[in-house]
Amino acid sequence: MKTIVLCAGGHARVVIEALRSRDITLFGITDADAAAAATIAGVPYLGNDDVVDGMNPSEVQLANGCGNRSNKQGSGLAPRRKLYERFARKNFKFPPVIHAQAIVASDAKIGDGVQIMAGAIVQAGATIGENVIINTGAIVEHDCEVAAHAHIAPGAILCGAVTVGEESHIGAGAVILQGRIVKRAAVIGAGQVIRQNVADEAIVAAAGNRT
């Protein structure tokens, strides 16, 4: 089975290191920007994403290297979701990417395309939806539910039984207290401590301040 990484930005480099930690040999990388792809040592550049369309899904598996940048306009996760769904509809598989130095409970439910990076911890009873990023050093505690296409950024902590909605971004070092709900497409800023539920598409940019 050939493994191809889609996109050649910073997140893709982290995904590649996670794959290599599992001794997975990469067939190549795709991106519209050949110069960006050239910065990733040891991975052949195949062209833009369209080259995958002509491949056989039974012979190729994919890893989503598209990251996001959240801001006051939203989580920025829509392009990542769009890329994933484009190829999933064509029956390409996105196996979970779990770094060898991540810790994942034996009964955690991990969806297709989930990426769990070095030092991250996913505890007992957690459910992680498809195409989710659990980034470097993030902690997802027991019985949490993270819906599809969300991003738990480096060092963020979801305490027990937290729910995170689709396409939501939990910023670096943020803490979501036990049992709280962060709904769809919300953005939690870096370092924030969430003590109350957060509405759809809300932006929590500073403690007690939503814009």
Side-chain angles (χ1 to χ4, degrees):
M1 183 70 72
K2 300 173 181 176
T3 300
I4 295 174
V5 176
L6 306 175
C7 292
H11 182 67
R13 293 199 294 274
V14 179
V15 171
I16 288 167
E17 286 306 310
L19 290 166
R20 285 173 170 165
S21 80
R22 296 289 186 178
D23 296 322
I24 295 173
T25 300
L26 299 175
F27 180 74
I29 192 166
T30 67
D31 199 283
D33 186 349
T39 67
I40 300 178
V43 183
Y45 174 58
L46 304 177
N48 65 27
D49 298 332
D50 294 342
V51 302
V52 178
D53 290 323
M55 297 182 180
N56 186 339
S58 68
E59 299 175 352
V60 174
Q61 60 186 12
L62 303 178
N64 193 348
C66 182
N68 72 301
R69 290 188 178 182
S70 64
N71 53 41
K72 291 183 178 180
Q73 281 69 53
S75 69
L77 285 159
R80 175 180 169 83
R81 177 177 190 161
K82 182 178 179 180
L83 184 63
Y84 174 86
E85 291 181 340
R86 169 186 170 182
F87 289 104
R89 282 194 300 267
K90 297 177 180 180
N91 297 316
F92 286 94
K93 301 301 182 185
F94 289 79
V97 177
I98 302 175
H99 195 285
Q101 295 180 13
I103 298 172
V104 179
S106 60
D107 67 344
K109 297 177 181 178
I110 307 298
D112 292 341
V114 168
Q115 297 170 347
I116 304 177
M117 301 313 185
I121 301 173
V122 178
Q123 288 286 19
T127 299
I128 312 298
E130 63 182 337
N131 197 40
V132 164
I133 304 169
I134 308 297
N135 222 321
T136 308
I139 298 174
V140 178
E141 266 295 345
H142 65 87
D143 303 308
C144 288
E145 295 185 15
V146 181
H149 316 294
H151 180 189
I152 313 303
I157 299 174
L158 308 185
C159 297
V162 165
T163 299
V164 175
E166 286 193 4
E167 280 190 48
S168 285
H169 176 91
I170 310 300
V175 177
I176 316 299
L177 296 185
Q178 186 165 353
R180 301 305 184 264
I181 298 171
V182 177
K183 291 190 175 181
R184 182 186 60 82
V187 176
I188 307 302
Q192 302 308 307
V193 177
I194 301 303
R195 297 179 171 87
Q196 297 179 341
N197 294 343
V198 177
D200 290 343
E201 301 182 3
I203 310 294
V204 182
N209 180 31
R210 299 181 185 179
T211 58

